[in-house]
Amino acid sequence: MTSTDKFDIIADNDLQEMKTSLEQGDLCKATEAIRKSLDDIDNTHLTIAVTGETGAGKSTFINAIRGLDDDDEGAAKTGVVECTAKPTPYTHPNYKKVTFWDLPGVGTANFQPKEYLEKVNFRQYDFFIIMASERFRLNNAELAKEIQAMGKKFYFVRSKIDADLYASQKRKKKTYNEESILKEIRDNCVQNLCELGIKEPRVFLLSCLELDKYDFNLMQETLEKELSSNKRHVFLLSLPTISMPILMKKKDALQSQIWKLATLSCAVAAVPIPGLSVMCDITILVTAMNEYRKTFGLDPDSLRTLANKLGMDYGELKSVIKSPLVLQELNKEVLKTLLARGAAGALMFTEYALSTIPIVGTFAAGAISFGITYKMLQNFLKEIAEDAVRVLRKALELAV
Ligand SMILES: Nc1nc2c(ncn2[C@@H]2O[C@H](COP(=O)(O)OP(=O)(O)O)[C@@H](O)[C@H]2O)c(=O)[nH]1
Ligand SMILES: [Mg+2]
């Protein structure tokens, strides 16, 4: 099967999920469960604490991971003389339920981890990131132990890797080898932390100036594995689209929800009020499509921020995007016109959908709505992901 074919059928696992949800009762019960699972994701908060010594790069990291430059609106203040006296929350520009907390620096002579953690209200965080730009000192290790004792997770980040590599490049022109320097730094951090009493420390090497490089993907994969499924979903969607693996994971995460939205739309259509079905159907589509744009950073605000970061004209960056739908304002009117125009394709798909999906009781009336919603979202996701790849390529090309 080619990748294009994949978009003309209902994926096997989607079909399976839907059948299972319908087998458990009638459509009404199934949609109740689906709506609850979507609401649960909507209500999921992800709260991440970033701690470490002053100057380690905490505030810079909080900006970078939210896709912001230090001088963008809503960015945390950074710089050698800036320090955070009390925990400060920074919400994600597109995902308001994702918050990074910039914690006061650790590292004064008589640092008391327990008091520090009580003061910063440690219970509210899903996990801690402990940053250091040089050696991890005793205070970092003591803090980690106390975090563990309090039943929370932590990860170490060794920041400013770009600066280490730059210095080596200057000083060891003949023998410079990036891989071996990275290994040396990583081994050294791990050994250092082990000596300070941390068992199997997890250390990630990062540069906030080039977040896509070094251990960022590894860190993202590790966090992803250790988060509960709803938090994982939210975390993934909120990441800046800075690498192909992240882009593809976002696409898969969105794809995995399409059958739910389609089933919801068919339940709405099953309500015997003429006209209503179309309106509600469209609301589901508009909401989902606008969310896709934000997830890939292709909404006007995110695009403007990116153009600014790349030193590119906004219009020029927009011209990289090929799908007119991605750039157009998406509202109910636009969607209605689109559905009317694209009905032929969607209807053909619907015939196929009708022959494939289980038709039980009231589901029959809504099956057309299911087919149209499924097809529209899948097509849009395919197009927007292709555009996101184009924009990412452009960004990577300009970054070198
Ligand atoms: N070269 C380099 N500089 C960084 C990096 N992260 C932060 N910085 C710089 O280090 C300084 C302190 O960063 P800041 O985020 O304010 O540290 P904080 O006190 O931990 O919040 C600033 O001048 C940043 O620009 C990095 O990954 N690479
Ligand atoms: Mg700071």
Side-chain angles (χ1 to χ4, degrees):
M1 187 195 301
T2 68
S3 60
T4 345
D5 292 338
K6 229 172 84 185
F7 283 92
D8 290 328
I9 61 162
I10 302 172
D12 282 348
N13 51 338
D14 283 355
L15 204 56
Q16 207 43 54
E17 295 256 29
M18 198 182 78
K19 278 183 180 161
T20 314
S21 82
L22 284 172
E23 271 159 16
Q24 277 153 15
D26 57 10
L27 181 60
C28 205
K29 282 216 183 85
T31 51
E32 223 172 86
I34 289 171
R35 190 171 294 286
K36 184 177 177 311
S37 94
L38 291 171
D39 284 352
D40 285 348
I41 293 180
D42 263 356
N43 295 327
T44 297
H45 289 256
L46 185 62
T47 310
I48 301 165
V50 185
T51 180
E53 286 167 27
T54 302
K58 297 182 293 298
S59 309
T60 312
F61 172 75
I62 288 173
N63 292 337
I65 197 150
R66 291 181 305 145
L68 298 177
D69 268 350
D70 292 353
D71 52 5
D72 281 332
E73 202 185 312
K77 286 212 174 70
T78 59
V80 265
V81 291
E82 277 300 336
C83 62
T84 314
K86 62 175 188 359
T88 312
Y90 292 95
T91 47
H92 191 284
N94 285 345
Y95 290 88
K96 304 291 177 213
K97 300 219 161 88
V98 177
T99 312
F100 292 86
W101 284 76
D102 200 348
L103 299 191
V106 299
T108 47
N110 62 347
F111 176 68
Q112 304 287 335
K114 210 171 187 156
E115 277 171 31
Y116 176 89
L117 287 172
E118 288 292 350
K119 234 185 188 154
V120 300
N121 195 10
F122 74 93
R123 286 174 197 83
Q124 68 176 323
Y125 310 113
D126 288 298
F127 59 85
F128 288 76
I129 289 175
I130 305 175
M131 288 190 105
S133 53
E134 291 172 358
R135 289 173 72 80
F136 284 97
R137 292 179 222 277
L138 183 62
N139 286 340
N140 298 127
E142 294 299 320
L143 182 63
K145 282 188 223 164
E146 199 54 49
I147 293 172
Q148 194 164 37
M150 291 174 168
K152 295 277 177 178
K153 286 206 165 88
F154 58 88
Y155 305 90
F156 292 101
V157 165
R158 167 60 164 80
S159 65
K160 305 194 190 179
I161 292 303
D162 59 295
D164 293 88
L165 291 176
Y166 181 75
S168 295
Q169 219 166 5
K170 286 273 163 207
R171 301 296 310 146
K172 298 179 184 168
K173 290 197 185 67
K174 289 191 282 296
T175 56
Y176 178 77
N177 177 320
E178 182 174 307
E179 270 312 302
S180 72
I181 295 165
L182 294 177
K183 183 173 182 318
E184 200 179 305
I185 300 174
R186 199 177 288 116
D187 291 350
N188 182 266
C189 285
V190 169
Q191 191 194 346
N192 177 217
L193 281 162
C194 286
E195 282 166 12
L196 294 171
I198 306 290
K199 285 192 206 89
E200 297 176 22
R202 280 167 307 171
V203 180
F204 302 102
L205 311 190
L206 294 188
S207 162
C208 294
L209 310 189
E210 302 159 304
L211 196 61
D212 57 313
K213 289 194 175 162
Y214 316 116
D215 289 345
F216 187 73
N217 270 339
L218 188 65
M219 175 163 124
Q220 168 259 313
E221 276 167 16
T222 309
L223 296 182
E224 212 188 302
K225 267 189 228 134
E226 298 190 0
L227 288 167
S228 65
S229 83
N230 282 350
K231 287 194 193 262
R232 183 186 315 139
H233 185 84
V234 169
F235 172 68
L236 196 56
L237 296 188
S238 76
L239 287 175
T241 315
I242 50 175
S243 70
M244 279 305 280
I246 292 179
L247 200 158
M248 287 305 151
K249 278 189 189 173
K250 284 188 176 192
K251 186 176 168 203
D252 289 346
L254 293 171
Q255 175 75 52
S256 72
Q257 303 296 309
I258 290 183
W259 74 269
K260 295 187 190 171
L261 298 172
T263 309
L264 277 192
S265 87
C266 104
V268 167
V271 176
I273 306 170
L276 181 75
S277 63
V278 178
M279 291 309 291
C280 294
D281 203 6
I282 286 178
T283 308
I284 289 177
L285 286 174
V286 170
T287 311
M289 287 160 90
N290 278 314
E291 192 201 334
Y292 293 3
R293 282 213 298 215
K294 285 194 170 184
T295 303
F296 288 110
L298 300 186
D299 58 298
D301 284 348
S302 308
L303 270 179
R304 240 179 233 111
T305 305
L306 180 64
N308 201 13
K309 187 184 276 179
L310 297 174
M312 235 180 135
D313 180 60
Y314 175 54
E316 200 186 334
L317 183 59
K318 271 193 356 190
S319 71
V320 174
I321 295 173
K322 294 283 174 273
S323 163
L325 255 188
V326 172
L327 292 172
Q328 200 171 356
E329 190 192 338
L330 291 171
N331 54 34
K332 287 185 190 175
E333 285 314 307
V334 172
L335 256 288
K336 257 191 226 168
T337 319
L338 263 172
L339 282 174
R341 249 199 288 148
L347 282 180
M348 262 164 65
F349 179 79
T350 302
E351 253 173 51
Y352 151 79
L354 285 174
S355 64
T356 318
I357 54 183
I359 306 292
V360 227
T362 45
F363 192 87
I368 291 181
S369 185
F370 178 96
I372 290 177
T373 306
Y374 193 94
K375 176 84 175 163
M376 277 295 283
L377 289 182
Q378 211 168 27
N379 280 352
F380 185 67
L381 182 58
K382 178 173 175 264
E383 282 188 23
I384 198 165
E386 284 169 2
D387 274 326
V389 169
R390 289 186 191 101
V391 169
L392 176 64
R393 288 219 175 101
K394 187 80 192 168
L396 294 176
E397 181 189 303
L398 288 174
V400 287

